[in-house]
Structures are given as structure tokens and as C-alpha cells.
Amino acid sequence: MTSFLMSLVSFFLLQPIEQAITAQLARAQAPPAIVQQVVTCTREAAPAAVDRVTSDPIWAVSTAFGLWIGNESAESVLIKVAPTCDTALQAAQPFLRGTRA
């Protein structure tokens, strides 16, 4: 059951977050090391994300929906799910800010 839930959380929450952030970093021509830090952190966030989803499923649905419609930024959701990703996102901030319209 845990691996199934981990797969769902990864597919519906973490992969869209990773794709959004890495796409912004690619547009900003961020160094590969920074991109890799964010990717690694996002993937390592899976257990924390599963804990958050299982303890608060309504949060999970509303957050995934907010991310999908653009009310939530990928970075803010990642920090909510995995505060340990703050260091990687801080390194990426100059590139992320530069890609916003």
C-alpha cells in the first residue's frame, strides 16, 4: 500500500513540481548543478509528501488542484512538503525569479 501511495503522490504532486521548477531553470539557463540539487531534493521529498498526504488528504487535493490551476507555485508547495528543500531552492532563486513574466 505504501509503494502505491508513494507512486500516486509522486505522479500527481512531486513530478509536476519537479517539471515546473526544472523547466523554469532550463529557460533561465541555470547551471546543471543547481538543477540537479532541486531534482534530488524533490525526489527525496517523497516520504515527507506521503506523510503529509496521509495525515491531511484534503490539503493534498486542494494543493494539487491549486498547483494545477496556478494558484500555488511549485516552489511554495515543495517547501510546504519538504522544508529541507529550502537550501536547493535558495540556490535556484536567482534563476527562478528571472523566468517569471
Side-chain angles (χ1 to χ4, degrees), residues 63-85:
T63 299
F65 184 71
L67 188 62
W68 182 62
I69 64 170
N71 282 349
E72 293 267 2
S73 73
E75 303 94 66
S76 69
V77 173
L78 184 57
I79 290 297
K80 289 176 189 175
V81 170
T84 57
C85 288

Side-chain angles (χ1 to χ4, degrees), residues 10-84:
S10 178
F11 182 76
F12 287 108
L13 191 62
L14 295 176
Q15 285 179 5
I17 289 171
E18 181 183 318
Q19 290 170 353
I21 295 172
T22 57
Q24 286 180 315
L25 292 173
R27 283 192 301 273
Q29 299 177 344
I34 289 177
V35 175
Q36 188 56 48
Q37 278 183 312
V38 172
V39 167
T40 300
C41 188
T42 304
R43 292 181 183 172
E44 289 174 353
V50 168
D51 287 344
R52 181 76 190 260
V53 167
T54 56
S55 67
D56 193 356
I58 292 173
W59 172 87
V61 171
S62 65
T63 299
F65 184 71
L67 188 62
W68 182 62
I69 64 170
N71 282 349
E72 293 267 2
S73 73
E75 303 94 66
S76 69
V77 173
L78 184 57
I79 290 297
K80 289 176 189 175
V81 170
T84 57

